[in-house]
Amino acid sequence: MNATMTIEAGGSEAAMRQRLVVIGNGMAGCRAVEEILARDPQRFDVTIFGAEPRVNYNRIMLSPVLAGEKTFDEIVINGQDWYDDNRITLVSGDRVDHIDRDNKCVVAASGRTEPYDTLLIATGSDPFIIPVPGSDLEGVVTFRDLDDVDRMLAAADRGGDAVVIGGGLLGLEAAHGLSLRGMKVTVVHLMPTLMERQLDEAAGWLLKTELERRGQTILTGANTKQIHGIDGKVVGIELADGTRVKADIVVMAAGIRPATGLAKAAGLDVERGVLVDDHMVTSDPAILAVGECVQHRGLCYGLVAPLWDMCRSLADYVTEAPTGFEGTVTSTKLKVSGIDLFSAGDFSGSPGPDGELCEDIVMRDASRGVYKRVVVRDGKLIGAVLYGDTADGNWYFDLMRQESDVSDIREALIFGQAFASGGALADPNAAVAALSAEAEICGCNGVSKGKIVSCIEGGAHSVDAVRATCKASASCGQCTGLVESLLSITLGGEVESGPKTMCKCTTFSHAEVRRLIVEKGLREMPEVMQELHWTTPDGCASCRPALNYYLLCAWPGEYEDDQKSRFVNERLHANIQKDGTYSVVPRMWGGLTNPRELRAIADVVEKFNAPMVKVTGGQRLDIFGIRKEDLPAVWADLNAAGMVSGHAYGKSLRTVKTCVGSEWCRFGTQDSTGLGVKIERMTWGSWMPHKFKIAVSGCPRNCAEATIKDFGVVCVDSGYELHVGGNGGIKVRATDLLCKVATEEEALEHCAAFIQLYREEAWYLERTAPWIERVGLDTVKAALFDDPDTVAQLAARFRHSQQFMQDDPWAQRASGDRADLHNHIATVRPLEMEMAR
Amino acid sequence: MIGDWLDIGPVTQIEPGTARTLPVEGGEEIAVFHTMRNEFFAIVNLCPHRRGPLSQGIVHGDVVTCPLHNWNISLRSGQALGGDEGCVPTIPLRVDAGRIYLLRAAVIAPREARAA
């Protein structure tokens, strides 16, 4: 089509006008008509069919209506007068049932038949009803139109419990509205992160925490199995794990599906949505489609901004000045008052068409509850997630839509428009140098620039020294960069580097992270990353296992072990070998065994064709060559003979090696075997910074090699010598003598206390030997013995922690727990696929 | 079009931050990953270094760290990252209506033909 060929419609004779019929009186359909009228008010006679018995309103604003922040009248876009003024026939409350393409007319439920020259399908989308038993009960509603809102308001008037299935945008807005209306709300979300399509894990965690603070119950990773009812009315829901939640109303907000039924029945090309080209033309040139019901270049849109662009393109086309819609980036804001959340573009990290890689820039401000992440690819901003401070959302969105080159402002991008436009970033030190001496640098501890400078001049020549002297940047770490600038300005490049940071994701060292987890009471991994300003969204392979251990150690019985942050051996409770199979070592207490255990081991070796069995250096047997999917069955057999996990795979208590002691040996001074068994019974299952080996020798001949163990007992006539910090590994280190005690009970108590001190003080992946070399034996002794109560307190903390640890992980897996970690998804055979067990 | 893609089940069967395995008779086992940013990837379950099972590594961002010798492998490109060199074949994957699909031809493709 060519704009110069436009025929002047002229005149006002209705006979010359074409008939435009619109199916759908929603936002897209009416907007398309508005756009056409704005270009050429004379071209069409317009008839709009709407299934709802009312005028065109802003569906997005139903959430504020539910929340009581707006009335229906306030969200009407076009009142009856708009239809009248533009001579539009509105057929409301009459659903179109059929499109007759041969005769170019539509037939409505009432029987009304309307001929068209051009037909516009704008049927929008339908709520997705999850197919579970009970989804048709009275009291199960969707959240799509005003009638749904009325049903929810009626339920809220009666009070009680509401369950919202779906933790996406719509579900959370429904939950917010019902909560404001006084209902007790539980959100049930299938995925582990709320709004996972818009948010990453970090922002999703902040949102969840805030909603919980407001009194909502948020269940993530929750799969609804059934909706229960009595006398046809909903009373509650049941999750796949058996959890039941009471409900007087259940809101289905699990997603939307393009409403394509009419188009499909009419024989138009339909995939997920009605297929359209860049001008919104379907496979029938006389039929256009727009809005949520269409699929354009493979995408279906559920947000409003792209719909406006589609309507513009459609109007340009039908008025013969085609421009075309090429798809667009979308942005989302959650309409929950008091929660600032913005998400736009692509933050998944996909590479560009030529493989250009993405770069994440993350800024966190724990004191204000702010998380910002922008994604830059090939010099352009392509995605953003903002939580807590969305002031720059529109600026980022503009940069994305205009595909602006942000290379020059990259360093300042994350700080927002005001900062990035200021130009001060060419030399960050210059900006800091320009600050007055009174300027506050560290907000957490109220430390001014002047104070930090004088502390640097007083000899604190590293970030760590500054933290120790005046506390600046010692809490949340956000001002670490400013402190570094002050160091380099004041010392002119003579800055001493402090202890190494934990990993590239943080400016804090292991010691600082451990201290802050306890001081600030940080209880979950996303919380640690937020509060300590992690520079990556979800950490790395170094910090995740370390944080998992630190949290497990700090909050025994409370923190839930994060399997995905565990090294493979600790996740599968076996040792991975070079060929990808595993070795299995059952525990033999103190190195003792019996015929029943040996038979069970022999049977396992034969049953699973284990190619090798080896006696280990820790006095037990190692079964090699077991496949990961066979591990639970192997463990079930070993459990049946009374054996539990030997933890030969873990940063945990490994073995307690013993000699035969006074019971058999002619030189033995004490019952070293018996004590070894007691120590192993006390310490097995405990997670540690690194592996931990113990030995008990019955006399100073030391046959159990106790003086190269992390904790070694050497029995003597008068009692027990306790040794610590030995290592037989790469760098051999003999133990240091910690103390000598008189009784077995004292030996056990000191063992527990020393282990707990190591668990609480050492860095992750630091054995006792380097730990003691780092802090000094005197420090360890002082920590244990300066206060006469400390040993008992440490031992009590260890025993408290142990009550949560001594649950055989093999038995759990053998009973079917986390089968997903062991089983294959399926097996592919040529031309078929066999589903897994 | 459906025939070109192999339905391997719902997205919920793989916990974010983990991977699961799909053995292929007469071919190399495939590891299907679900990242914490809610993306899905499929690669051959063999580290280009010493053939470690990548499915068992720790996943961070769109990278997996091999459990044997800590090589970092991009799930997106299959390339070894950092100073290491090597590449593992990737299998085209798409997610539709909550289910994961792998490109059938790539699942059963002889790997020699794919090696670059």
Short mmCIF file of all heavy atoms in Angstrom, two decimals, chain A residues 192 196 272 348-351 360 373 537-538 541 544 564 568 571-572 582 628 818 820 823-826 828-829 833, chain B residues 7-8 12-13 15-17 20-25 29 36-39 53 56 58 60-61 65 67-68 76 96:
data_model
loop_
_atom_site.label_atom_id
_atom_site.label_comp_id
_atom_site.label_asym_id
_atom_site.label_seq_id
_atom_site.Cartn_x
_atom_site.Cartn_y
_atom_site.Cartn_z
N PRO A 192 10.19 -21.14 43.02
CA PRO A 192 10.82 -20.75 44.28
C PRO A 192 10.92 -19.24 44.48
O PRO A 192 11.12 -18.78 45.59
CB PRO A 192 12.23 -21.36 44.19
CG PRO A 192 12.18 -22.30 43.05
CD PRO A 192 11.11 -21.84 42.12
N GLU A 196 8.90 -14.63 39.23
CA GLU A 196 10.20 -15.06 38.69
C GLU A 196 10.43 -14.59 37.26
O GLU A 196 11.57 -14.57 36.79
CB GLU A 196 10.35 -16.58 38.82
CG GLU A 196 9.59 -17.40 37.78
CD GLU A 196 8.10 -17.50 38.06
OE1 GLU A 196 7.68 -17.09 39.15
OE2 GLU A 196 7.37 -17.96 37.17
N ARG A 272 0.31 -20.18 19.86
CA ARG A 272 -0.11 -19.83 21.22
C ARG A 272 -1.13 -18.71 21.16
O ARG A 272 -2.06 -18.62 21.93
CB ARG A 272 1.11 -19.41 22.05
CG ARG A 272 1.70 -20.53 22.86
CD ARG A 272 2.88 -20.02 23.66
NE ARG A 272 3.85 -19.35 22.80
CZ ARG A 272 4.68 -18.39 23.20
NH1 ARG A 272 4.64 -17.97 24.44
NH2 ARG A 272 5.54 -17.86 22.38
N SER A 348 18.20 -11.83 31.92
CA SER A 348 18.57 -13.24 32.05
C SER A 348 20.03 -13.46 31.69
O SER A 348 20.60 -14.48 32.01
CB SER A 348 17.69 -14.08 31.13
OG SER A 348 17.94 -13.73 29.79
N GLY A 349 20.64 -12.48 31.01
CA GLY A 349 22.05 -12.64 30.66
C GLY A 349 22.28 -13.27 29.31
O GLY A 349 23.37 -13.78 29.04
N SER A 350 21.26 -13.27 28.43
CA SER A 350 21.46 -13.88 27.11
C SER A 350 22.47 -13.09 26.30
O SER A 350 22.47 -11.87 26.33
CB SER A 350 20.15 -13.86 26.32
OG SER A 350 19.09 -14.23 27.14
N PRO A 351 23.31 -13.79 25.53
CA PRO A 351 24.28 -13.07 24.71
C PRO A 351 23.60 -12.46 23.49
O PRO A 351 22.49 -12.86 23.14
CB PRO A 351 25.26 -14.16 24.28
CG PRO A 351 24.46 -15.42 24.34
CD PRO A 351 23.41 -15.24 25.38
N ASP A 360 26.74 -7.90 34.45
CA ASP A 360 25.85 -7.47 35.53
C ASP A 360 26.49 -6.37 36.33
O ASP A 360 27.67 -6.46 36.66
CB ASP A 360 25.62 -8.63 36.52
CG ASP A 360 24.58 -9.60 36.01
OD1 ASP A 360 23.59 -9.11 35.43
OD2 ASP A 360 24.75 -10.80 36.20
N ARG A 373 19.91 -3.84 39.92
CA ARG A 373 20.77 -4.61 39.02
C ARG A 373 20.48 -4.16 37.60
O ARG A 373 19.33 -4.11 37.19
CB ARG A 373 20.48 -6.09 39.18
CG ARG A 373 21.18 -6.94 38.15
CD ARG A 373 21.17 -8.40 38.56
NE ARG A 373 21.45 -9.22 37.40
CZ ARG A 373 20.73 -10.26 37.05
NH1 ARG A 373 19.68 -10.62 37.76
NH2 ARG A 373 21.04 -10.95 35.98
N PRO A 537 24.43 -11.24 41.60
CA PRO A 537 23.06 -11.55 42.03
C PRO A 537 22.97 -12.80 42.89
O PRO A 537 22.21 -12.83 43.85
CB PRO A 537 22.30 -11.74 40.72
CG PRO A 537 23.14 -11.12 39.67
CD PRO A 537 24.56 -11.21 40.13
N ASP A 538 23.72 -13.84 42.56
CA ASP A 538 23.56 -15.08 43.32
C ASP A 538 24.88 -15.75 43.70
O ASP A 538 24.95 -16.95 43.84
CB ASP A 538 22.64 -16.06 42.57
CG ASP A 538 23.04 -16.23 41.11
OD1 ASP A 538 24.16 -15.81 40.77
OD2 ASP A 538 22.26 -16.76 40.31
N ALA A 541 30.71 -20.13 42.97
CA ALA A 541 30.99 -21.47 43.50
C ALA A 541 31.89 -21.41 44.73
O ALA A 541 32.02 -22.40 45.45
CB ALA A 541 31.60 -22.34 42.42
N ARG A 544 29.12 -19.47 47.81
CA ARG A 544 27.87 -20.13 48.18
C ARG A 544 28.09 -21.24 49.22
O ARG A 544 27.40 -21.27 50.25
CB ARG A 544 27.15 -20.70 46.95
CG ARG A 544 26.65 -19.65 45.99
CD ARG A 544 25.69 -20.26 44.98
NE ARG A 544 24.48 -20.66 45.64
CZ ARG A 544 23.40 -19.88 45.72
NH1 ARG A 544 23.39 -18.71 45.15
NH2 ARG A 544 22.34 -20.29 46.36
N LYS A 564 21.79 -26.79 46.84
CA LYS A 564 22.41 -26.32 45.59
C LYS A 564 23.69 -25.53 45.86
O LYS A 564 24.40 -25.18 44.94
CB LYS A 564 21.41 -25.51 44.77
CG LYS A 564 20.90 -24.25 45.44
CD LYS A 564 19.88 -23.57 44.53
CE LYS A 564 19.32 -22.32 45.17
NZ LYS A 564 18.45 -22.61 46.32
N VAL A 568 29.36 -31.34 45.15
CA VAL A 568 28.66 -32.57 44.76
C VAL A 568 28.74 -33.65 45.83
O VAL A 568 27.76 -34.31 46.14
CB VAL A 568 29.19 -33.09 43.41
CG1 VAL A 568 30.68 -33.33 43.44
CG2 VAL A 568 28.46 -34.35 42.99
N ARG A 571 26.35 -33.09 48.47
CA ARG A 571 24.96 -33.13 47.99
C ARG A 571 24.53 -34.57 47.78
O ARG A 571 23.40 -34.93 48.04
CB ARG A 571 24.86 -32.32 46.69
CG ARG A 571 23.45 -31.93 46.34
CD ARG A 571 23.36 -31.10 45.05
NE ARG A 571 24.51 -30.29 44.74
CZ ARG A 571 25.27 -30.47 43.66
NH1 ARG A 571 24.99 -31.43 42.80
NH2 ARG A 571 26.29 -29.68 43.43
N LEU A 572 25.48 -35.41 47.30
CA LEU A 572 25.13 -36.81 47.02
C LEU A 572 25.64 -37.77 48.10
O LEU A 572 25.48 -38.97 48.01
CB LEU A 572 25.67 -37.22 45.65
CG LEU A 572 24.96 -36.55 44.47
CD1 LEU A 572 25.49 -37.09 43.16
CD2 LEU A 572 23.46 -36.77 44.54
N TYR A 582 30.73 -42.98 42.05
CA TYR A 582 30.94 -42.55 43.42
C TYR A 582 31.48 -43.68 44.27
O TYR A 582 31.29 -44.86 43.94
CB TYR A 582 29.60 -42.05 44.00
CG TYR A 582 29.13 -40.82 43.29
CD1 TYR A 582 28.46 -40.92 42.06
CD2 TYR A 582 29.43 -39.55 43.78
CE1 TYR A 582 28.08 -39.78 41.37
CE2 TYR A 582 29.04 -38.41 43.09
CZ TYR A 582 28.37 -38.54 41.87
OH TYR A 582 28.02 -37.42 41.19
N LYS A 628 25.30 -42.77 40.52
CA LYS A 628 24.54 -41.90 41.42
C LYS A 628 23.11 -42.37 41.59
O LYS A 628 22.53 -42.24 42.67
CB LYS A 628 24.58 -40.44 40.93
CG LYS A 628 23.62 -40.05 39.82
CD LYS A 628 23.65 -38.53 39.59
CE LYS A 628 22.51 -38.02 38.71
NZ LYS A 628 22.54 -38.35 37.31
N ARG A 818 14.57 -36.44 48.21
CA ARG A 818 15.34 -35.82 47.13
C ARG A 818 15.75 -36.83 46.04
O ARG A 818 16.90 -36.83 45.57
CB ARG A 818 16.59 -35.12 47.68
CG ARG A 818 16.31 -33.90 48.53
CD ARG A 818 15.41 -32.89 47.85
NE ARG A 818 15.88 -32.39 46.58
CZ ARG A 818 16.53 -31.25 46.43
NH1 ARG A 818 16.78 -30.48 47.46
NH2 ARG A 818 16.90 -30.85 45.23
N ASP A 820 15.09 -36.59 43.16
CA ASP A 820 15.45 -35.82 41.95
C ASP A 820 16.96 -35.65 41.82
O ASP A 820 17.47 -35.45 40.72
CB ASP A 820 14.76 -34.45 41.96
CG ASP A 820 15.19 -33.58 43.12
OD1 ASP A 820 15.13 -34.05 44.27
OD2 ASP A 820 15.61 -32.43 42.88
N ASN A 823 17.90 -39.56 40.42
CA ASN A 823 17.32 -40.17 39.23
C ASN A 823 17.55 -39.33 37.98
O ASN A 823 17.63 -38.12 38.04
CB ASN A 823 15.80 -40.32 39.41
CG ASN A 823 15.48 -41.32 40.49
OD1 ASN A 823 16.36 -42.07 40.91
ND2 ASN A 823 14.26 -41.31 40.96
N HIS A 824 17.59 -40.01 36.85
CA HIS A 824 17.58 -39.31 35.56
C HIS A 824 16.17 -38.78 35.31
O HIS A 824 15.20 -39.30 35.85
CB HIS A 824 17.95 -40.27 34.43
CG HIS A 824 19.32 -40.85 34.54
ND1 HIS A 824 20.44 -40.06 34.63
CD2 HIS A 824 19.76 -42.13 34.57
CE1 HIS A 824 21.51 -40.85 34.72
NE2 HIS A 824 21.12 -42.11 34.69
N ILE A 825 16.07 -37.75 34.47
CA ILE A 825 14.76 -37.26 34.05
C ILE A 825 14.06 -38.35 33.25
O ILE A 825 12.88 -38.63 33.42
CB ILE A 825 14.90 -36.02 33.14
CG1 ILE A 825 15.47 -34.84 33.91
CG2 ILE A 825 13.57 -35.67 32.51
CD1 ILE A 825 15.70 -33.63 33.04
N ALA A 826 14.80 -38.96 32.37
CA ALA A 826 14.26 -39.97 31.46
C ALA A 826 15.45 -40.56 30.74
O ALA A 826 16.59 -40.12 30.93
CB ALA A 826 13.30 -39.32 30.47
N VAL A 828 16.68 -41.48 26.78
CA VAL A 828 16.32 -41.36 25.38
C VAL A 828 16.84 -42.58 24.63
O VAL A 828 18.02 -42.91 24.71
CB VAL A 828 16.93 -40.10 24.75
CG1 VAL A 828 16.54 -40.00 23.28
CG2 VAL A 828 16.48 -38.86 25.50
N ARG A 829 15.91 -43.27 23.95
CA ARG A 829 16.32 -44.37 23.07
C ARG A 829 15.98 -43.91 21.67
O ARG A 829 15.11 -43.06 21.49
CB ARG A 829 15.51 -45.63 23.40
CG ARG A 829 15.67 -46.04 24.87
CD ARG A 829 15.63 -47.55 25.02
NE ARG A 829 16.34 -47.94 26.22
CZ ARG A 829 15.75 -48.04 27.41
NH1 ARG A 829 14.47 -47.80 27.54
NH2 ARG A 829 16.46 -48.39 28.47
N MET A 833 11.23 -42.24 23.93
CA MET A 833 11.79 -41.81 25.19
C MET A 833 11.08 -42.56 26.30
O MET A 833 9.87 -42.67 26.32
CB MET A 833 11.60 -40.32 25.38
CG MET A 833 12.31 -39.81 26.60
SD MET A 833 12.23 -38.03 26.75
CE MET A 833 10.54 -37.80 27.14
N ASP B 7 9.75 -33.52 24.14
CA ASP B 7 9.19 -33.04 25.42
C ASP B 7 9.84 -33.84 26.54
O ASP B 7 9.67 -35.06 26.62
CB ASP B 7 7.68 -33.25 25.40
CG ASP B 7 7.01 -32.76 26.69
OD1 ASP B 7 7.74 -32.49 27.67
OD2 ASP B 7 5.78 -32.67 26.71
N ILE B 8 10.60 -33.19 27.41
CA ILE B 8 11.25 -33.95 28.48
C ILE B 8 10.62 -33.65 29.84
O ILE B 8 11.20 -33.94 30.88
CB ILE B 8 12.77 -33.71 28.53
CG1 ILE B 8 13.08 -32.23 28.75
CG2 ILE B 8 13.44 -34.23 27.27
CD1 ILE B 8 14.52 -32.01 29.20
N THR B 12 9.14 -27.82 36.52
CA THR B 12 9.24 -27.96 37.98
C THR B 12 10.07 -29.15 38.42
O THR B 12 10.39 -29.29 39.58
CB THR B 12 7.83 -28.09 38.59
OG1 THR B 12 7.11 -29.04 37.80
CG2 THR B 12 7.10 -26.77 38.56
N GLN B 13 10.41 -30.04 37.45
CA GLN B 13 11.17 -31.23 37.87
C GLN B 13 12.64 -30.91 38.14
O GLN B 13 13.37 -31.75 38.66
CB GLN B 13 11.06 -32.34 36.83
CG GLN B 13 11.76 -31.98 35.51
CD GLN B 13 11.45 -32.98 34.40
OE1 GLN B 13 11.09 -34.11 34.66
NE2 GLN B 13 11.58 -32.55 33.16
N GLU B 15 14.95 -28.28 40.19
CA GLU B 15 14.99 -27.18 41.15
C GLU B 15 15.96 -26.11 40.65
O GLU B 15 17.03 -26.44 40.14
CB GLU B 15 15.46 -27.70 42.51
CG GLU B 15 15.33 -26.68 43.61
CD GLU B 15 16.07 -27.11 44.88
OE1 GLU B 15 16.16 -28.33 45.13
OE2 GLU B 15 16.54 -26.24 45.60
N PRO B 16 15.60 -24.82 40.78
CA PRO B 16 16.53 -23.78 40.33
C PRO B 16 17.88 -23.93 41.02
O PRO B 16 17.95 -24.21 42.22
CB PRO B 16 15.85 -22.49 40.77
CG PRO B 16 14.41 -22.83 40.89
CD PRO B 16 14.36 -24.26 41.29
N GLY B 17 18.95 -23.75 40.24
CA GLY B 17 20.28 -23.88 40.81
C GLY B 17 20.80 -25.30 40.72
O GLY B 17 21.86 -25.60 41.26
N ARG B 20 19.60 -31.84 36.05
CA ARG B 20 19.28 -33.26 36.04
C ARG B 20 19.76 -33.86 34.73
O ARG B 20 20.06 -33.15 33.78
CB ARG B 20 17.79 -33.50 36.25
CG ARG B 20 17.36 -33.04 37.66
CD ARG B 20 15.97 -33.48 38.00
NE ARG B 20 15.88 -34.93 38.06
CZ ARG B 20 14.73 -35.58 38.20
NH1 ARG B 20 13.60 -34.91 38.28
NH2 ARG B 20 14.70 -36.90 38.24
N THR B 21 19.83 -35.19 34.73
CA THR B 21 20.49 -35.86 33.62
C THR B 21 19.52 -36.61 32.73
O THR B 21 18.46 -37.04 33.17
CB THR B 21 21.54 -36.85 34.17
OG1 THR B 21 20.95 -37.54 35.28
CG2 THR B 21 22.77 -36.12 34.63
N LEU B 22 19.92 -36.76 31.48
CA LEU B 22 19.11 -37.43 30.48
C LEU B 22 20.04 -38.33 29.66
O LEU B 22 20.70 -37.86 28.73
CB LEU B 22 18.46 -36.37 29.59
CG LEU B 22 17.45 -36.81 28.54
CD1 LEU B 22 16.18 -37.30 29.23
CD2 LEU B 22 17.13 -35.64 27.62
N PRO B 23 20.17 -39.59 30.02
CA PRO B 23 21.04 -40.47 29.24
C PRO B 23 20.44 -40.71 27.85
O PRO B 23 19.22 -40.76 27.71
CB PRO B 23 21.05 -41.78 30.04
CG PRO B 23 20.34 -41.50 31.31
CD PRO B 23 19.49 -40.29 31.10
N VAL B 24 21.31 -40.84 26.87
CA VAL B 24 20.87 -41.09 25.50
C VAL B 24 21.51 -42.40 25.05
O VAL B 24 22.74 -42.50 25.03
CB VAL B 24 21.32 -39.94 24.56
CG1 VAL B 24 20.87 -40.23 23.13
CG2 VAL B 24 20.76 -38.61 25.05
N GLU B 25 20.71 -43.37 24.73
CA GLU B 25 21.28 -44.65 24.32
C GLU B 25 22.06 -44.49 23.03
O GLU B 25 21.56 -43.94 22.05
CB GLU B 25 20.16 -45.68 24.12
CG GLU B 25 20.04 -46.57 25.33
CD GLU B 25 19.21 -47.81 25.06
OE1 GLU B 25 18.97 -48.15 23.89
OE2 GLU B 25 18.80 -48.42 26.05
N GLU B 29 25.36 -38.57 27.42
CA GLU B 29 24.35 -38.13 28.38
C GLU B 29 24.23 -36.61 28.33
O GLU B 29 25.22 -35.90 28.19
CB GLU B 29 24.77 -38.59 29.78
CG GLU B 29 23.78 -38.27 30.86
CD GLU B 29 24.08 -39.03 32.15
OE1 GLU B 29 23.80 -40.23 32.22
OE2 GLU B 29 24.62 -38.40 33.08
N MET B 36 19.36 -20.08 38.68
CA MET B 36 18.61 -19.31 39.65
C MET B 36 18.00 -18.07 39.02
O MET B 36 17.26 -17.35 39.68
CB MET B 36 19.47 -18.99 40.85
CG MET B 36 19.45 -20.17 41.80
SD MET B 36 20.35 -19.89 43.27
CE MET B 36 21.98 -19.94 42.64
N ARG B 37 18.35 -17.80 37.78
CA ARG B 37 17.70 -16.70 37.08
C ARG B 37 16.58 -17.24 36.19
O ARG B 37 16.13 -16.59 35.27
CB ARG B 37 18.71 -15.93 36.26
CG ARG B 37 19.81 -15.39 37.16
CD ARG B 37 20.91 -14.73 36.37
NE ARG B 37 22.04 -14.52 37.25
CZ ARG B 37 23.16 -13.96 36.86
NH1 ARG B 37 23.28 -13.54 35.62
NH2 ARG B 37 24.14 -13.80 37.70
N ASN B 38 16.20 -18.49 36.49
CA ASN B 38 15.07 -19.09 35.80
C ASN B 38 15.27 -19.29 34.31
O ASN B 38 14.36 -19.11 33.52
CB ASN B 38 13.80 -18.29 36.05
CG ASN B 38 13.11 -18.84 37.27
OD1 ASN B 38 12.76 -20.01 37.30
ND2 ASN B 38 13.01 -18.02 38.29
N GLU B 39 16.48 -19.63 33.94
CA GLU B 39 16.71 -20.02 32.56
C GLU B 39 17.03 -21.51 32.53
O GLU B 39 17.50 -22.08 33.51
CB GLU B 39 17.89 -19.24 31.99
CG GLU B 39 17.52 -17.83 31.64
CD GLU B 39 18.60 -17.21 30.77
OE1 GLU B 39 19.68 -16.95 31.31
OE2 GLU B 39 18.36 -17.03 29.58
N PRO B 53 31.29 -34.93 35.28
CA PRO B 53 29.84 -34.76 35.08
C PRO B 53 29.40 -33.35 35.48
O PRO B 53 29.21 -33.05 36.65
CB PRO B 53 29.23 -35.82 36.00
CG PRO B 53 30.25 -36.04 37.07
CD PRO B 53 31.60 -35.74 36.47
N GLN B 56 26.66 -32.19 38.02
CA GLN B 56 26.84 -32.24 39.46
C GLN B 56 27.59 -31.03 40.01
O GLN B 56 27.92 -30.97 41.19
CB GLN B 56 27.57 -33.53 39.87
CG GLN B 56 26.87 -34.79 39.41
CD GLN B 56 25.42 -34.82 39.85
OE1 GLN B 56 25.11 -34.58 41.00
NE2 GLN B 56 24.52 -35.09 38.91
N ILE B 58 28.34 -26.84 40.89
CA ILE B 58 27.58 -25.74 41.49
C ILE B 58 27.26 -24.73 40.39
O ILE B 58 28.12 -24.36 39.60
CB ILE B 58 28.37 -25.09 42.64
CG1 ILE B 58 28.43 -26.07 43.82
CG2 ILE B 58 27.73 -23.78 43.08
CD1 ILE B 58 29.16 -25.55 45.03
N HIS B 60 26.06 -21.05 39.16
CA HIS B 60 25.97 -19.65 39.60
C HIS B 60 25.87 -18.80 38.35
O HIS B 60 26.65 -18.98 37.43
CB HIS B 60 27.17 -19.26 40.45
CG HIS B 60 28.49 -19.74 39.92
ND1 HIS B 60 29.37 -18.91 39.28
CD2 HIS B 60 29.05 -20.99 39.90
CE1 HIS B 60 30.43 -19.62 38.91
NE2 HIS B 60 30.26 -20.88 39.26
N GLY B 61 24.89 -17.91 38.32
CA GLY B 61 24.63 -17.18 37.09
C GLY B 61 24.33 -18.18 35.99
O GLY B 61 23.57 -19.11 36.17
N THR B 65 30.34 -24.85 37.64
CA THR B 65 31.71 -25.17 38.01
C THR B 65 31.83 -26.70 38.08
O THR B 65 31.12 -27.34 38.85
CB THR B 65 32.05 -24.54 39.37
OG1 THR B 65 31.87 -23.13 39.26
CG2 THR B 65 33.48 -24.83 39.77
N PRO B 67 32.60 -30.37 38.99
CA PRO B 67 32.91 -30.91 40.31
C PRO B 67 34.30 -31.54 40.42
O PRO B 67 34.80 -31.73 41.51
CB PRO B 67 31.81 -31.96 40.53
CG PRO B 67 31.35 -32.34 39.17
CD PRO B 67 31.51 -31.10 38.34
N LEU B 68 34.92 -31.87 39.28
CA LEU B 68 36.22 -32.56 39.39
C LEU B 68 37.38 -31.58 39.61
O LEU B 68 38.16 -31.75 40.53
CB LEU B 68 36.47 -33.42 38.14
CG LEU B 68 35.59 -34.67 37.99
CD1 LEU B 68 36.18 -35.60 36.94
CD2 LEU B 68 35.41 -35.41 39.30
N ARG B 76 25.54 -21.30 28.45
CA ARG B 76 24.96 -20.69 27.27
C ARG B 76 25.71 -21.12 26.00
O ARG B 76 25.11 -21.49 25.00
CB ARG B 76 25.08 -19.18 27.43
CG ARG B 76 23.98 -18.40 26.83
CD ARG B 76 24.14 -16.96 27.24
NE ARG B 76 23.63 -16.70 28.57
CZ ARG B 76 22.34 -16.67 28.87
NH1 ARG B 76 21.44 -16.89 27.96
NH2 ARG B 76 21.96 -16.42 30.10
N ASP B 96 8.01 -24.14 26.81
CA ASP B 96 6.71 -23.66 26.35
C ASP B 96 5.64 -24.22 27.28
O ASP B 96 5.61 -25.42 27.57
CB ASP B 96 6.47 -24.14 24.90
CG ASP B 96 5.26 -23.45 24.26
OD1 ASP B 96 4.78 -22.45 24.85
OD2 ASP B 96 4.82 -23.89 23.20
#
